[in-house]
């Protein structure tokens, strides 16, 4: 009798500990992550436009910054946000595709130069690319002379440049993930008569969904907030992405419109957070566990 | 788009009829043919316009793609083709560009190519001492032809038609109307006199016209001036010299500038190769006599601790939430909000942190005062400043770490955990013996990569306190939180001028250092082990 | 194989998507010659009859001069966002009067220079570019700017501003804003601003005894704000050549005057009249909240002081052995050397920009210190007048390349003194030696 009782309490005890512990961790982590962001929120709602890191609750609260931000025809914030979303989503989809093809090749095939190539891919990404900006600008300009839709000041050109990094460091992550899926699966399918392409799409692809989503999200965030490349390649205000557009409010130390900038930062972060929330079920699916068998 | 691709399920029995196979092969050939057609057209254009670097790069890529798709042995490369092609054009080429630049004097004062400089100098003009200068008024016919009335500095009036000698007609003669009080004709038959506003509108056209005949050609320079301009410089190709037509001085190209015998050089300068000059300059720089070792060790420490702590935090969070029994809606929301540090613009976040760490009125120090009765000097003390920077960097990086570990955790089969539990392993043991090793297989390289990236991340350092607090008694300015790249880049970049050649040299040296560390880390973590 | 063809079509689909993206408005890469709206022109588009004697050696890529009214001419102007409102106010007048469309592009601080360096030589630059004065030297050395011939109108601008934009005897920039730092003082705390440093010390003693925490606000490492103080002691950055240009070999950081100024700063910090540790974020707030009696800063803080209702006034920086001479910060409009509309750009500057009416209109939109004297004479804004008075002896910030080596070491030296980490003379002497090292290396 006593044995059974202690066993029962032990399970529910464990459950309680787990929940309390999770909540504690969550609160601490959220506190750490959100602490500075609360000041951004405060500044966004502060109509005087000041960025105070001393008082959390501003003297006046209003939506003035938001309305200023969204109603300025010279600075079309919503258009910028749309531009950024468009560019980053397309880049993410293409980057994930290109990256997964590459990772598949590295994982499944053995060919001469394989190790060398993997090493080189990593090393070349590590090259400090300060001067790359000049080179990339000239490349896009030259391409634009013959294929105008891909030239300077176009979104297609910007996406094209972003894809240069598709085979970057994340290919290791993908390859590692691919490696955990046993080759027996591939081989079984090939014996059944499937082509390599079919193996990729019908067998491997569903199993690597979590990592595809992760890399997609990483790519998305990276390009969404990119400031350096977009600033050089996009010159017309209407074509700006969100980071470039917002930088017009902050002339580095002088006349910075903190209120509008903060409001823009908050609004700009929304799509990312929502996207991440919505796509989490594909990352943490649980479907992939146990795919080993059979 | 996702729904088109992903299908959960077992392998379908594919159609392997010979016809299907042939169709696939033909499609591939057609695709390749189209690609080749476009590439060849592109290459011909590049050749015509002499854009050599792109010609070579595109040529290499095209040949590569063809080889890869036609030679069966190179099948694996077909999967890599799109990524590699993009990488060669957009990553490899800029690297070569940087390396090439290190051997030139490319800088903000040597920006143009030699031919551009020659063109620019040859378009400079001067008015010879006895050459006439005029004010002018424009007349325009309905068809768009222009006639100009010039008034010379001694008050004489001339009528000019493009390409013809100037005439001095009298009022009433020919098509000339009466003169107004400034000596300008009120009318000209067949032409309307333009107002100043109208003249400005046509200025670009007007400046292209030439009046009079050689050798006394008169051109319009601005709204108020026209004169007999002479070309100031003439380039003599055989001797590779520039002759100043006004003074007779001969300029020869020396290290990227046309220089006269007495040493004056002409602006603008042009790019030339300078061999190893930049490298020698780097090895002789006073900066190397400064506390380089100090900077180097801090840079390593900065990168190491940032990566280590943010990884630990990110991993801790992802494991906790993975195993948490909280409702999944809540967990998903928590994870999404935790992504915010990664999603807020970097510039804004660092600025806020600067304010939070402010020594006198920052929130953090107010808390410290209340709890511990002392205020760390987050900006003025080297140690505390370094701590602050690492804290900020961990804050910036942990969502990324949380994201990749969450994804990688999914690859660890659940039955491994079950088996271990059955064997009596505690959750701690399960973590150390199962989770961590398997995780590091896929995440390991990314950590190495993050280390390299952080090593060169001077954005944070600069925004926080420009590398300060400064170190006293050094040959060149240096701060306690300067990292290697910010320390040496200052040598090449001024407030608005930049020596790109020198900067490229520095880039190469830093790259070699980072590459060595990266390779060493790889070998050490034996990440090459495959599952 | 079959799946691979699906793959190909997917890539093609993405390609189509990319092409769809490219359908954004105004995707043209040639900026100067596109004008979406046809301008009403005076001449009907008659068939172009062959004109006799068109200049055979006309500009190679100029718009064909045979076509009347077919190619509307446009001027492209790059500006930093500070001045956008001002240009927006005056551009319609130009377009109306001259029938030339002006395209205004707003850029980040710094980008009007760096983007000109990459875009100019390939023909992607603007016609007119607003750049900060101390970049002029670099841009001229790079062959990116054309000389501007203002003729008599040059005398209508603040002489120092014109001098500052002159390189090798030619003018390269027409002033947009001419500013300098000044002494802002709180009218509630002080009755009048001190005019000499002796007065200043007495003032501070009284003010601190009466309870104000900060007497003079000087930001940590603020070499720019400290410079006028240096000059009042006889110090300087670079000496002058006989022709008025700066001499990079005559560094004034370790001159007797500058060393005196350094010692003075040390004395003030020790006395508590200047307190270390304020930054560019906290100092304005302190002054705005009335916690400081005086603050050396510029017009960029005016909006926040006004918003906070601070009772302030502006005065010249106190003099020592001579009047204070702050750096004159000049922003000007320059002409891109690669522009196809040189004379037109020049005409914009001489005929339109350099007129009283336009300058006043520009001022009304922005309330910044402009550089055009006839318009300045009409301005009654006390802030502008106060800053002008403080800038009576201002000298243009040097545009010689040696100047870019000046800032880091001097900022560090001022920081050392304020934090009491180094002997003041030692700090400035070391800064001077660092600057000389860097100058020598950059050759």
């Amino acid at each position: 009798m006593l044995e059974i009782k202690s066993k029962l309490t032990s399970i529910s005890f464990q459950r309680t500990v787990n929940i309390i512990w999770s909540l504690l961790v969550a609160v601490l982590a959220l506190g750490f992550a959100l602490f500075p962001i609360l000041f951004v929120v405060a500044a966004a709602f502060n109509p005087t436009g000041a960025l105070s890191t001393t008082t959390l609750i501003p003297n006046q609260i209003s939506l003035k910054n938001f309305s200023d931000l969204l109603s300025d025809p010279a600075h079309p914030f919503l258009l910028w946000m749309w531009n950024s979303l468009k560019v980053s989503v397309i880049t993410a989809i293409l980057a994930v595709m290109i990256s997964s093809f590459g990772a598949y090749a590295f994982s499944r095939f053995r060919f001469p130069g394989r190790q060398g190539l993997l090493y080189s891919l990593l090393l070349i990404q590590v090259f400090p690319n300060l001067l790359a900006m000049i080179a990339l600008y000239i490349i896009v300009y030259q391409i634009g002379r013959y294929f105008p839709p891909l030239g300077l000041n176009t979104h297609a050109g910007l996406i094209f440049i972003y894809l240069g990094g598709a085979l970057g460091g994340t290919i290791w992550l993908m390859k590692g993930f691919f490696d955990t899926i046993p080759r027996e699966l591939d081989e079984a399918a090939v014996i059944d008569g499937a082509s390599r392409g079919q193996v990729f799409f019908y067998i491997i692809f569903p199993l690597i969904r979590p990592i595809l989503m992760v890399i997609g999200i990483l790519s998305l965030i990276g390009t969404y907030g990119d400031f350096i490349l977009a600033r050089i390649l996009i010159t017309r205000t209407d074509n700006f992405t969100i980071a470039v557009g917002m930088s017009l409010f902050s002339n580095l130390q002088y006349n910075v419109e903190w209120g509008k900038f903060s409001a823009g930062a908050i609004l700009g972060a929304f799509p990312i957070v929502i996207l991440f929330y919505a796509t989490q079920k594909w990352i943490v699916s649980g479907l992939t566990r146990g795919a080993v068998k059979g | 788009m996702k729904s088109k691709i992903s299908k959960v399920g077992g392998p379908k029995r594919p159609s392997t009829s010979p016809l299907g196979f042939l169709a696939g092969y033909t499609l591939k050939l057609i695709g390749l043919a189209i690609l080749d057609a476009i590439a060849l057209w592109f290459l011909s254009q590049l050749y015509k316009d002499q854009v050599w670097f792109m010609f070579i790069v595109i040529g290499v890529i095209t040949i590569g793609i063809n080889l890869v798709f036609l030679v069966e042995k190179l099948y694996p490369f077909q999967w890599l083709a799109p990524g590699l092609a993009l990488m060669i054009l957009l990553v490899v080429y800029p690297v070569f560009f940087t390396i090439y630049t290190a051997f030139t004097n490319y800088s903000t004062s040597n920006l143009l190519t030699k031919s551009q400089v020659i063109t620019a100098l040859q378009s400079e003009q001067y008015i010879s001492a006895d050459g006439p200068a005029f004010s002018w008024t424009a007349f325009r016919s309905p068809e768009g032809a222009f006639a100009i009335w010039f008034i010379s500095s001694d008050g004489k009036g001339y009528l000019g038609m493009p390409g013809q000698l100037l005439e001095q007609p009298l009022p009433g003669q020919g098509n000339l109307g009466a003169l107004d009080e400034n000596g300008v004709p009120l009318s000209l038959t067949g032409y309307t006199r333009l107002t100043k506003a109208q003249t400005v509108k046509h200025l670009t056209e007007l400046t292209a016209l030439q009046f009079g005949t050689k050798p006394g050609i008169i051109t319009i320079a601005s709204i108020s001036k026209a004169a007999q301009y002479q070309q100031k410089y003439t380039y003599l190709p055989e001797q590779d010299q520039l002759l100043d037509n006004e003074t007779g001085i001969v300029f020869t190209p020396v290290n990227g500038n046309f220089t006269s015998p007495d040493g004056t050089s002409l602006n603008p300068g042009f790019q030339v190769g300078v061999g190893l000059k930049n490298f020698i300059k780097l090895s002789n720089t006073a900066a190397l006599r400064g506390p380089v070792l100090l900077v180097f060790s801090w840079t390593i420490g900065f990168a190491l601790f940032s990566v280590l702590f943010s990884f630990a935090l990110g991993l801790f969070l992802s494991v906790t939430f993975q195993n948490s029994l909280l409702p999944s809606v809540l967990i998903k929301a928590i994870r999404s909000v935790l992504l915010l540090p990664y999603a807020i613009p970097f510039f804004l976040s660092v600025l806020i942190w600067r304010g939070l760490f402010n020594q006198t009125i920052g929130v953090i120090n107010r808390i410290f005062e209340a709890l511990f009765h002392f205020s760390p000097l987050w900006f003025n003390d080297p140690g505390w400043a370094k701590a602050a920077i690492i804290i900020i960097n961990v804050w910036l990086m942990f969502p990324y770490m949380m994201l990749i570990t969450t994804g990688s955790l999914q690859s660890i089969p659940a039955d491994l955990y079950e088996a271990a539990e059955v064997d009596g392993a505690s959750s701690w043991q399960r973590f150390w013996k199962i989770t961590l090793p398997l995780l590091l297989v896929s995440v390991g390289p990314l950590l190495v990569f993050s280390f390299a990236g952080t090593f060169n991340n001077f954005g944070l350092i600069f925004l926080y306190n420009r590398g300060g607090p400064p170190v006293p008694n050094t040959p060149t300015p240096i701060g306690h939180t300067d990292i290697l790249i910010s320390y040496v880049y200052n040598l090449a970049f001024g407030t608005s001028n930049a020596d790109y050649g020198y900067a490229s040299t520095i880039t190469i040296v830093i790259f070699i250092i980072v590459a060595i560390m990266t390779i060493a880390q790889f070998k050490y973590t034996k990440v090459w082990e495959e599952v | 194989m079959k799946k691979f063809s699906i793959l190909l079509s997917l890539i093609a689909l993405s390609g189509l998507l990319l092409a769809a993206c490219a359908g954004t408005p105004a995707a043209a890469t040639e900026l100067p010659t596109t004008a979406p709206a046809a301008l009403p022109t005076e001449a009907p588009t008659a068939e172009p009859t062959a004109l006799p004697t068109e200049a055979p050696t006309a500009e190679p890529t100029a718009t064909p001069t045979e076509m009347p009214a077919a190619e509307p001419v446009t001027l492209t102007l790059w500006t930093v966002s500070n001045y956008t409102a001002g240009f927006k106010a005056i551009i319609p007048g130009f377009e109306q009067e001259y029938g030339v469309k002006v395209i205004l592009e707003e850029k980040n601080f710094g980008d009007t220079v760096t983007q000109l360096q990459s875009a100019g030589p390939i023909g992607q630059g603007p016609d007119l570019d607003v750049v900060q004065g101390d970049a002029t030297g670099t841009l001229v050395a790079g062959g990116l700017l054309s000389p501007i011939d203002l003729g008599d109108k040059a005398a209508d601008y603040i002489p120092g501003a014109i001098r500052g934009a002159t390189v090798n005897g030619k003018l390269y920039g027409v002033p947009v804003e001419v500013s300098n730092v000044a002494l802002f003082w709180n009218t509630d705390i002080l009755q009048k601003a001190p005019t000499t440093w002796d007065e200043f010390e007495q003032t501070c003693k009284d003010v601190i005894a009466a309870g104000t925490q900060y007497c003079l606000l000087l930001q940590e490492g603020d070499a720019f704000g400290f410079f006028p103080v240096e000059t009042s002691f006889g110090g300087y950055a670079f000496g002058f050549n006989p022709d008025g240009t700066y001499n990079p070999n005559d560094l004034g950081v370790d001159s007797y005057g500058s060393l005196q100024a350094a010692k003075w700063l040390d004395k003030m910090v020790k006395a508590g009249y200047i307190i270390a540790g304020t930054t560019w974020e906290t100092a304005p707030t302190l002054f705005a909240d009335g916690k400081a009696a005086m603050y050396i800063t510029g017009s960029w803080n005016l909006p926040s002081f006004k918003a906070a209702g601070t009772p302030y006034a502006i005065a010249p920086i106190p003099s020592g052995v001579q009047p204070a001479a702050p750096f004159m910060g000049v922003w000007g409009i320059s002409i891109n050397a690669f522009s196809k509309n040189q004379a037109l750009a020049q005409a914009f500057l001489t005929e339109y920009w350099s007129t009283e009416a336009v300058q006043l209109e520009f001022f009304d939109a922005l309330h910044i210190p402009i550089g055009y004297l006839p318009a300045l004479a009409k301005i009654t804004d006390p802030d502008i007048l106060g800053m002008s008075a403080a800038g009576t002896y201002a000298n243009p910030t040097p545009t010689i390349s040696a100047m870019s080596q000046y800032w880091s070491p001097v900022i560090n030296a001022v920081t050392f003194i304020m934090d009491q980490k180094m002997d003041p003379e030692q700090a400035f002497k070391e800064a001077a030696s660092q600057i000389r090292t860097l100058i020598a290396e950059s050759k």
Side-chain angles (χ1 to χ4, degrees), chain A residues 201-241:
Chain A
F201 277 108
Y202 288 126
I203 303 175
I204 309 286
F205 211 85
L207 298 177
I208 56 167
R209 232 188 340 219
I211 210 67
L212 288 184
M213 290 307 308
V214 167
I215 294 193
I217 298 264
L218 284 177
S219 165
L220 189 94
I221 298 182
T223 50
Y224 186 79
D226 167 68
F227 170 66
I228 302 178
L229 277 173
R231 170 173 162 184
I232 297 179
L233 298 175
I234 305 281
T235 47
R236 283 291 173 84
T237 312
D238 280 348
N239 289 347
F240 277 168
T241 54

Side-chain angles (χ1 to χ4, degrees), chain C residues 176-312:
Chain C
V176 173
E177 180 181 10
V178 180
S179 59
N180 49 266
V181 295
L183 188 73
F184 282 62
W185 56 282
N186 188 317
T187 49
D188 278 354
I189 302 178
L190 300 177
Q191 275 163 330
K192 66 178 190 67
T195 52
T196 66
W197 292 120
D198 294 326
E199 273 181 46
F200 169 82
E201 285 188 52
Q202 186 55 47
T203 310
C204 278
K205 226 185 275 191
D206 300 336
V207 145
I208 290 189
T212 307
Q213 195 183 359
Y214 296 85
C215 187
L216 175 64
L217 276 174
L218 187 67
Q219 286 154 199
E220 195 78 353
D222 189 2
F224 191 73
F226 185 63
F227 181 73
V229 180
E230 260 180 81
T231 56
S232 71
F233 282 90
Y236 59 98
F238 289 97
F240 290 104
N241 287 319
D243 63 357
T245 54
Y246 282 104
N247 179 0
N249 298 322
D250 180 9
L251 183 67
V253 174
D254 53 354
S255 64
Y256 177 73
S258 295
L259 292 178
Q260 293 297 101
K263 292 209 291 220
W264 175 88
L265 178 63
D266 185 58
K267 200 168 100 176
M268 294 299 109
V269 173
K270 288 191 158 85
Y273 301 156
I274 296 179
I275 303 181
T278 58
T279 63
W280 64 266
E281 302 117 308
T282 56
T285 323
L286 286 170
F287 186 77
D289 291 347
K291 300 218 175 70
M294 293 176 272
Y295 182 21
I296 297 183
T297 184
S299 57
W300 55 86
N301 274 321
L302 276 173
S304 44
F305 296 157
K306 289 203 166 96
T310 319
Y312 71 91

Side-chain angles (χ1 to χ4, degrees), chain B residues 27 162 196 209 285-286 354 474, chain C residues 5 53-54 281 351 434 441:
Chain B
L27 218 63
K196 186 172 85 164
L209 302 175
T285 178
R354 254 183 69 100
T474 55
Chain C
S5 48
T53 64
E54 208 48 55
E281 302 117 308
E351 309 304 310
Q434 286 179 346
E441 270 192 29

Side-chain angles (χ1 to χ4, degrees), chain B residues 27 108-109 116 162 196-197 200-201 203-204 207 209 223 281 285-286 354 358 361 466 470 473-475 495 497, chain C residues 5 41 53-54 97-98 117 121 138 141-143 281-282 340-341 343-344 351 404 411 416 419 421 430 434 441:
Chain B
L27 218 63
T108 47
S109 45
Q116 280 176 319
K196 186 172 85 164
V200 166
K201 184 157 157 222
L203 260 180
T204 308
T207 46
L209 302 175
I223 187 97
K281 191 162 143 183
T285 178
R354 254 183 69 100
N358 187 287
I361 60 178
R466 304 183 88 204
N473 301 318
T474 55
T495 27
N497 53 357
Chain C
S5 48
T41 53
T53 64
E54 208 48 55
E97 197 179 328
Y98 295 94
Q117 287 167 334
T138 309
E281 302 117 308
T282 56
K340 306 258 195 295
N341 299 306
L344 180 57
E351 309 304 310
S404 54
I411 290 177
F416 285 136
D419 294 345
K421 290 253 167 71
E430 178 171 290
Q434 286 179 346
E441 270 192 29

